[in-house]
Amino acid sequence: MYEKLFSRGRIGNLELKSRIVMPPMGTGMAALNGEASDRIIRYYEERAKAGCGLICTEVTCVDEDWGCAGFYQLHASSMRYAQSLKKLADAVHKYDTKIFLQLHHPGREINSIYQGKGQIVAPSAIPCPVCREMPHELTTAECEGLVNKFVAAAKVAKLAGMDGVELHAAHGYLINQFLSPHTNKRTDKYGGDFFGRMRFIDEIVINIRTQLPGFPVSVRFSADEFLPDGITIEEGVKIARHLESIGVVSLNVSCGTYETGNTIVEPYFRKEMWKKNLAASVKAAVKIPVIAVNTVKYPATAEKLLEEGVCDFVALGRAQLADPEWAKKAKEGNEHLIRKCMGCMFCFKAALSGMPIICNANPLLGLEEIYNEDTLKKDGDGRVIAVIGGGPAGMQAAQVMARRGYRPIIFEKGSELGGQMNIAKLPENKEMLGELVKTLVAQTEDLGIEVRLNTEATIEDIKALNPAGVIVAAGSKPFKLPVPGADRENVCLASDVLLGNVKLENKNIIVVGAGVTGIETAETLALQGNKVTIIEMSANVGEPLYPSLKVYYGKRLAELGVEIKTMTRLFEICDNKIVVRNSATAFRAEIPCDAVVFANGVRSDKAIAEACYANFDKVICVGDVSNPGLIGEALRDANSKAWVF
């Protein structure tokens, strides 16, 4: 199965065990001093063990004065980092996986708070519209000094036993800034025409090849910046040919800059293979291997890209965050057990906050050193564990308990597993959330876990099992705000709309709440031909969405004619209007409407939990009944508590 994906391939003088590449992704898991921590080593090791052919590390700092991308990133700016990097390389090499150290400098796409010498730098004094900070324009001598720093970092990589280096010339970072006419307005030898803009990377590549003969140099670059005056695909092909001519061993094709960020790290409205034309255009123009990202979720998609000749190696980034065993499961024909990336962007939201990356599908991401087969107690001895609720938290907890040797039994009062996820998956573009539901169910079945559907657990039912413990994972439900008129016939819940239990067409509708549920419900109602107004008592819209998703929904709702009123608190619901008050001034106003839809999330219902506490010695609550939140929070809560239960 997937013969091309798991065939051996070559990059330069290296033979790779598969066509799967893990591209660089910032993790925030390196030590504060820039060394490879045990945590980050275990993270990479898990992906190597599963069958990844080549790992390109996260962005690695070459310049501590002006080139730091964060407080917790890898460094290769001096030989003192070689020993910890060697531990990383050795851990990956155990599994016949190759590893490239990605050499990086952010240039203008960062803030000075991270830099040793304060002000950020760039080829030209043009601020990044996202970071909004004026960079110092590098002098010719400073450019030459930075070339030497990249070369010095490559020497550290070789000493550490890395198999090669990848130069980060994509996504609007420093090398990309030299390549692009959008950011390079220089008039010295590092600017001007095409060859002037290429000179900075030319000098880095040629010096590494001269000083480290035979040491592979790969380049990741943006084949299209999607900017009017930036690199186009035609220019990208020209860059690719030029890089091949100076001895680069492979090209890792990406796209975009911070200004066009949702083309780099795609939210869920971007579908698989949407940008395959970029890699295909580059591959048609060069003879060296082409690696490419293409928002791949499924093994069949990766195989198709190879069959069609779009690329030589498939880069799977967030796919391997969501499931470190993506490659192993694909090779064994167990793709139905792969937890697939949902494009929710919470990994990058965490990274932006300065915290280690997290994943809403994979509760173990970044915690591989803590939660692994070596630390999992196998102490169940077939004893029964009653699990009340078959949502994501219930299934995750049951799976951990089954792996520990217990016999979990899930009680689910509904007709299917999934809980609130069966509602959350219904709005437009949320099909990958539905895939997570399928995978959780498949994993539950694969472990042989008993599930009792259409069964609301009672204390008597649980006592009959004589359980070793009880896990409560049920006890949350959508709610209406307690305001006058909330019980009127023209009032319903967002879940009623999304499930199709309430039909609203050609109506003037108020949606209460501008969180994720409110936005998605408003979109659904607008698509059904309704005039929709969202009211939100705070100043925030779309919390806790990633910025690119907030921008997307802002444009989307505007296109659908949805009006959003923030700082607006619902006070009363009447026959054909609502009464609201400004959250800051208490100013009263009336808004005409035909119907009101509450989209205020869920609240815990602890009745069953309290009953269990009163009747059983060992009880834990996980997920929404413990603390209503995101799917990822429920999975992490269930995993950690079940691990030590």
Side-chain angles (χ1 to χ4, degrees), residues 318-319 321-324 338-344 346 358-365 396 421 432-433 436 439-440 443 631-633 635-636:
R318 286 177 294 160
L321 297 184
D323 197 327
I338 295 174
R339 294 201 189 188
K340 301 167 188 74
C341 170
M342 297 180 288
C344 65
F346 276 90
I358 57 174
C359 178
N360 271 344
N362 175 14
L364 306 186
L365 178 62
Q396 179 70 32
M421 289 174 68
M432 293 313 299
L433 186 53
L436 179 58
T439 303
L440 286 168
Q443 290 177 323
I631 294 165
E633 292 169 337
L635 291 175
R636 285 187 289 277

Side-chain angles (χ1 to χ4, degrees), residues 320-463:
Q320 292 186 87
L321 297 184
D323 197 327
E325 294 190 322
W326 193 101
K328 180 177 184 288
K329 292 174 182 177
K331 189 173 185 178
E332 294 175 349
N334 290 322
E335 55 262 50
H336 64 296
L337 300 178
I338 295 174
R339 294 201 189 188
K340 301 167 188 74
C341 170
M342 297 180 288
C344 65
M345 307 298 290
F346 276 90
C347 50
F348 276 81
K349 185 173 184 183
L352 280 182
S353 72
M355 298 301 290
I357 53 173
I358 57 174
C359 178
N360 271 344
N362 175 14
L364 306 186
L365 178 62
L367 302 173
E368 291 87 355
E369 191 186 8
I370 300 172
Y371 301 116
N372 56 67
E373 288 301 317
D374 297 331
T375 63
L376 185 66
K377 293 183 295 184
K378 308 293 178 63
D379 57 352
D381 296 324
R383 291 176 291 166
V384 171
I385 294 289
V387 181
I388 305 174
M395 285 190 279
Q396 179 70 32
Q399 289 172 24
V400 173
M401 299 309 293
R403 289 168 56 206
R404 287 181 56 184
Y406 287 90
R407 184 188 156 214
I409 298 174
I410 298 176
F411 292 84
E412 170 53 50
K413 67 179 179 180
S415 60
E416 60 183 343
L417 295 172
Q420 297 294 332
M421 289 174 68
N422 290 323
I423 301 172
K425 70 183 183 182
L426 296 173
E428 190 174 59
N429 290 319
K430 299 301 285 292
E431 62 271 12
M432 293 313 299
L433 186 53
E435 280 295 308
L436 179 58
V437 177
K438 290 180 186 177
T439 303
L440 286 168
V441 172
Q443 290 177 323
T444 300
E445 293 173 349
D446 187 62
L447 287 165
I449 295 170
E450 182 180 345
V451 177
R452 300 182 183 181
L453 297 175
N454 301 303
T455 304
E456 186 165 4
T458 66
I459 296 301
E460 290 71 27
D461 291 333
I462 301 171
K463 282 184 176 180

Side-chain angles (χ1 to χ4, degrees), residues 2 86 94 116 118 129 214 221 275 302 396 440 466 501 511 532 635:
Y2 308 123
K86 188 174 189 309
K94 286 189 298 187
F221 76 109
K275 58 187 178 186
Q396 179 70 32
L440 286 168
N466 190 27
N501 297 331
V511 173
V532 183
L635 291 175

Side-chain angles (χ1 to χ4, degrees), residues 593-605:
C593 67
D594 301 312
V596 175
V597 179
F598 281 102
N600 303 100
V602 299
R603 279 186 175 170
S604 297
D605 181 355

Side-chain angles (χ1 to χ4, degrees), residues 188-431:
D188 66 354
K189 66 177 181 176
Y190 293 108
D193 63 8
F194 174 81
F195 293 102
R197 295 196 305 275
M198 293 295 300
R199 188 181 299 275
F200 186 73
I201 194 170
D202 283 354
E203 291 183 355
I204 296 171
V205 173
I206 292 168
N207 275 283
I208 293 174
R209 293 191 65 229
T210 301
Q211 298 180 42
L212 300 172
F215 192 56
V217 180
S218 181
V219 174
R220 190 176 205 194
F221 76 109
S222 288
D224 195 329
E225 292 182 303
F226 300 106
L227 294 168
D229 60 342
I231 295 169
T232 62
I233 183 55
E234 292 77 18
E235 180 92 347
V237 167
K238 189 176 178 182
I239 290 171
R241 286 181 176 140
H242 181 86
L243 292 172
E244 181 182 35
S245 74
I246 62 172
V248 167
V249 298
S250 61
L251 296 167
N252 191 341
V253 178
S254 188
C255 62
T257 73
Y258 276 19
E259 293 171 73
T260 53
N262 68 37
T263 67
I264 303 172
V265 186
E266 298 95 323
Y268 47 68
F269 58 80
R270 297 274 192 192
K271 307 306 177 185
E272 286 187 297
M273 301 193 296
W274 72 272
K275 58 187 178 186
K276 71 176 185 177
N277 66 299
L278 302 180
S281 297
V282 171
K283 180 165 168 52
V286 299
K287 293 183 174 60
I288 56 176
V290 170
I291 306 165
V293 287
N294 260 298
T295 326
V296 175
K297 317 283 188 185
Y298 301 91
T301 305
E303 185 77 2
K304 184 177 181 181
L305 289 167
L306 296 170
E307 288 175 345
E308 293 180 358
V310 172
C311 53
D312 300 288
F313 295 87
V314 179
L316 297 167
R318 286 177 294 160
Q320 292 186 87
L321 297 184
D323 197 327
E325 294 190 322
W326 193 101
K328 180 177 184 288
K329 292 174 182 177
K331 189 173 185 178
E332 294 175 349
N334 290 322
E335 55 262 50
H336 64 296
L337 300 178
I338 295 174
R339 294 201 189 188
K340 301 167 188 74
C341 170
M342 297 180 288
C344 65
M345 307 298 290
F346 276 90
C347 50
F348 276 81
K349 185 173 184 183
L352 280 182
S353 72
M355 298 301 290
I357 53 173
I358 57 174
C359 178
N360 271 344
N362 175 14
L364 306 186
L365 178 62
L367 302 173
E368 291 87 355
E369 191 186 8
I370 300 172
Y371 301 116
N372 56 67
E373 288 301 317
D374 297 331
T375 63
L376 185 66
K377 293 183 295 184
K378 308 293 178 63
D379 57 352
D381 296 324
R383 291 176 291 166
V384 171
I385 294 289
V387 181
I388 305 174
M395 285 190 279
Q396 179 70 32
Q399 289 172 24
V400 173
M401 299 309 293
R403 289 168 56 206
R404 287 181 56 184
Y406 287 90
R407 184 188 156 214
I409 298 174
I410 298 176
F411 292 84
E412 170 53 50
K413 67 179 179 180
S415 60
E416 60 183 343
L417 295 172
Q420 297 294 332
M421 289 174 68
N422 290 323
I423 301 172
K425 70 183 183 182
L426 296 173
E428 190 174 59
N429 290 319
K430 299 301 285 292
E431 62 271 12

